[in-house]
Amino acid sequence: MKIHLVLPLLGLFSCAHADFFTSIGHMTDLLNTEKDLVTSLKDYIKAEEQKLAQIKKWADKLDHLTDTATKDPEGFLGHPVNAFKLMKRLNTEWVKLENLILKDISDGFISNLTIQRQYFPNDEDQTGAAKALLRLQDTYNLDTDTISKGNLPGVKHKTSLTAEDCFDLGKTAYTDADYYHTELWMEQALSQLDAGEESSLDKVMVLDYLSYAVYQQGDLDKALTLTKLLLELDPEHQRGNGNLRYFEYIMSKESNKSSSSPSEGAELGTRKGRPKDHLPERQKYEKLCRGEGVKMTSRRQKRLFCRYFDGNKDPLLILSPTKQEDEWDKPRIVRYHDIISDEEISKVKELAKPRLRRATVHDPQTGKLTTAQYRVSKSAWLSAYEDPVVARLNRRIEGVTGLDMSTAEELQVANYGMGGQYEPHFDFARKDEPDAFKELGTGNRVATWLFYMSDVEAGGATVFPEVGAAVYPKKGTAVFWYNLFESGEGDYSTRHAACPVLVGNKWVSNKWIHERGQEFRRPCNLSELE
């Protein structure tokens, strides 16, 4: 008889795309919506309490009256007024009470809820938020208990996860066949239940998912132990009994293999660990995000300086030079301090917020913009003609860099939400992407200018995995680097990433500067790598 393993099943998620979790700016709107709903709910509760108070007052009055009347019914009804009032009460006043009880005063709240529901996050938003938490867990090497207790660096409003929250995170991972995270979060849910947390969560259900995830991770002994624990709680559990027989069958089969040929049974109990993904430098990238693996030596550090910079005698900067700091030597990355004011930041955010949409990337095959899972943020584009502040920023960038802004892309404003990131990428088009910027007709992206428009409590660094560099957000500053050598060849050491925001809210705006118009401002060099 063939034995089959039965796995827990989940419902399907909605396919709508709202992407609330990708922007803190939009999530603040959800908080305001929830606040309005709570106010509406309290108004409804107050109305219900007033209604119940009326009913209680009626009941108390009649309780006293009927108690007196039933002690001497004939004597009570011998009074003609009492007899009249009895007729009146039963004929009209009880009908009024009935109407009061049947009166539905929830219409206002339900109507408000129905209107607001169209702006609510959907299943995909919840799933995206859950995956963001898992991403933060991996990137910053956080254990489940730390996240569950809310013990994150720089937090202002500490909060914790319930056992049910942990279970939902595990289910999200399970849906993606990510059994590594399924196991971690189901174990956390189980740990909190075992610690006595009050919850409606069924321990049997947690063990069901956990045992299967552990089996998929290659730990058959533990899977068998968990299944037996499940059956102690629910001996009639159909799936548990089926899995118990299956696990015992597999173990006996592997045991026979192992005894006859040790090498054949060597994989029994081997852990699979965290699932592999598409990113070759994942480990290097995540270490830099944590502040580890930065390759700046003290000798090289001594060659980095701060200075006042006038943009090679730019008229706007001669009397008020900007503060320039060397962040890295190769590739050369410089930071400009106090380069954008709080008022300018507020105006840029004000212009961008109504237009924020899920950030896109250039598809190298089609040359068109598309969303991608490796870029999680929301962005908007601002033109110089829309507001004097945008025009002033463009002119400032031109003055500092000495590059022509007429062929640059519009100012892109980005807000990174929960776990918001942009995995390692190049800003310039490689040789195998000849059509990447064909529609613009302005050549390749020669340089990148990046404004930091907020401080970030934890996470959110800009890192360069190829060279081991990390640049941290600081409100009011900007960083600048060239993506191309003077020869026009791409500088592959500029491959960079925006690390996930662990705690806080990250606002940036960037300017991608193109080759056209720079012929005399940055002349071509015949040496390929200079």
Side-chain angles (χ1 to χ4, degrees), residues 133 137 142-150 152 159 161 185:
L133 264 182
Q137 176 183 6
L142 302 170
D143 60 70
T144 54
D145 193 57
T146 296
I147 298 174
S148 182
K149 290 178 179 175
L152 302 178
T159 189
L161 296 173
W185 283 102

Side-chain angles (χ1 to χ4, degrees), residues 183-247:
E183 178 183 358
L184 292 177
W185 283 102
M186 291 301 172
E187 282 189 335
Q188 181 63 32
L190 193 63
S191 171
Q192 290 181 204
L193 291 176
D194 287 342
E197 180 181 313
E198 288 187 18
S199 175
S200 59
L201 182 61
D202 184 4
K203 194 173 180 180
V204 169
M205 190 184 298
V206 178
L207 287 165
D208 192 11
Y209 280 97
L210 179 56
S211 61
Y212 182 76
V214 167
Y215 163 73
Q216 287 290 344
Q217 286 287 98
D219 194 340
L220 200 53
D221 284 332
K222 186 175 178 182
L224 185 62
T225 300
L226 290 166
T227 303
K228 288 178 178 178
L229 181 58
L230 182 158
L231 291 173
E232 285 178 15
L233 298 173
D234 184 1
E236 304 302 317
H237 196 279
Q238 186 176 356
R239 187 162 47 242
N241 280 296
N243 289 350
L244 179 65
R245 291 193 296 273
Y246 178 80
F247 293 150

Side-chain angles (χ1 to χ4, degrees), residues 15-34:
C15 293
H17 288 267
D19 297 326
F20 282 107
F21 69 96
T22 61
S23 167
I24 293 293
H26 280 169
M27 288 176 73
T28 56
D29 293 337
L30 293 179
L31 273 180
N32 292 329
T33 295
E34 189 170 44

Side-chain angles (χ1 to χ4, degrees), residues 33-44 109 112:
T33 295
E34 189 170 44
K35 175 65 177 173
D36 290 342
L37 284 174
V38 170
T39 301
S40 180
L41 179 61
K42 289 172 77 174
D43 289 342
Y44 163 66
F109 171 70
N112 190 17

Side-chain angles (χ1 to χ4, degrees), residues 69-349:
T70 52
K71 288 178 181 176
D72 181 14
E74 291 185 4
F76 182 82
L77 291 174
H79 196 303
V81 173
N82 286 337
F84 165 74
K85 293 188 74 171
L86 176 63
M87 297 300 105
K88 182 187 174 187
R89 280 198 305 275
L90 293 173
N91 184 49
T92 60
E93 294 183 16
W94 275 96
V95 174
K96 288 181 182 178
L97 179 64
E98 180 184 15
N99 291 335
L100 176 61
I101 292 171
L102 292 174
K103 183 181 178 182
D104 187 357
I105 56 178
S106 66
D107 287 352
F109 171 70
I110 295 299
S111 176
N112 190 17
L113 182 61
T114 303
I115 292 169
Q116 299 288 2
R117 190 178 282 121
Q118 62 183 312
Y119 305 112
F120 278 16
N122 57 21
D123 285 340
E124 187 159 347
D125 286 301
Q126 183 176 333
T127 300
K131 288 181 179 179
L133 264 182
L134 302 184
R135 185 161 57 246
L136 293 172
Q137 176 183 6
D138 291 339
T139 304
Y140 296 105
N141 266 351
L142 302 170
D143 60 70
T144 54
D145 193 57
T146 296
I147 298 174
S148 182
K149 290 178 179 175
N151 294 328
L152 302 178
V155 292
K156 296 177 183 176
H157 308 284
K158 184 176 176 181
T159 189
S160 58
L161 296 173
T162 64
E164 192 169 351
D165 293 332
C166 297
F167 177 74
D168 287 338
L169 285 168
K171 282 202 302 182
T172 298
Y174 179 89
T175 305
D176 279 352
D178 175 5
Y179 302 112
Y180 169 78
H181 288 107
T182 303
E183 178 183 358
L184 292 177
W185 283 102
M186 291 301 172
E187 282 189 335
Q188 181 63 32
L190 193 63
S191 171
Q192 290 181 204
L193 291 176
D194 287 342
E197 180 181 313
E198 288 187 18
S199 175
S200 59
L201 182 61
D202 184 4
K203 194 173 180 180
V204 169
M205 190 184 298
V206 178
L207 287 165
D208 192 11
Y209 280 97
L210 179 56
S211 61
Y212 182 76
V214 167
Y215 163 73
Q216 287 290 344
Q217 286 287 98
D219 194 340
L220 200 53
D221 284 332
K222 186 175 178 182
L224 185 62
T225 300
L226 290 166
T227 303
K228 288 178 178 178
L229 181 58
L230 182 158
L231 291 173
E232 285 178 15
L233 298 173
D234 184 1
E236 304 302 317
H237 196 279
Q238 186 176 356
R239 187 162 47 242
N241 280 296
N243 289 350
L244 179 65
R245 291 193 296 273
Y246 178 80
F247 293 150
E248 289 175 339
Y249 166 73
I250 292 294
M251 287 193 77
S252 64
K253 191 176 176 182
E254 292 292 339
S255 179
N256 292 334
K257 277 186 182 180
S258 182
S259 60
S260 60
S261 175
S263 61
E264 287 184 35
E267 290 191 8
L268 184 63
T270 302
R271 280 279 177 169
K272 294 182 182 178
R274 182 178 164 188
K276 298 203 176 350
D277 65 11
H278 63 281
L279 197 61
E281 69 261 65
R282 168 73 62 190
Q283 189 174 2
K284 194 187 299 183
Y285 154 60
E286 292 184 349
K287 283 182 71 175
L288 285 170
C289 289
R290 296 192 295 268
E292 305 167 8
V294 177
K295 295 181 179 178
M296 179 56 66
T297 63
S298 57
R299 185 175 179 180
R300 287 169 63 191
Q301 182 77 44
K302 290 176 182 177
R303 300 195 199 109
L304 303 181
F305 297 96
C306 298
R307 64 191 68 81
Y308 282 103
F309 182 69
D310 64 7
N312 297 320
K313 307 298 182 184
D314 182 271
L316 292 178
L317 297 173
I318 290 176
L319 295 178
S320 181
T322 187
K323 302 169 189 172
Q324 186 189 70
E325 177 187 2
D326 296 329
E327 283 279 355
W328 206 259
D329 49 1
K330 290 185 179 180
R332 188 170 185 238
I333 306 168
V334 292
R335 188 193 294 264
Y336 297 94
H337 293 267
D338 303 320
I339 197 70
I340 181 172
S341 68
D342 288 348
E343 291 75 18
E344 288 170 331
I345 288 172
S346 296
K347 174 54 72 172
V348 169
K349 288 165 68 173

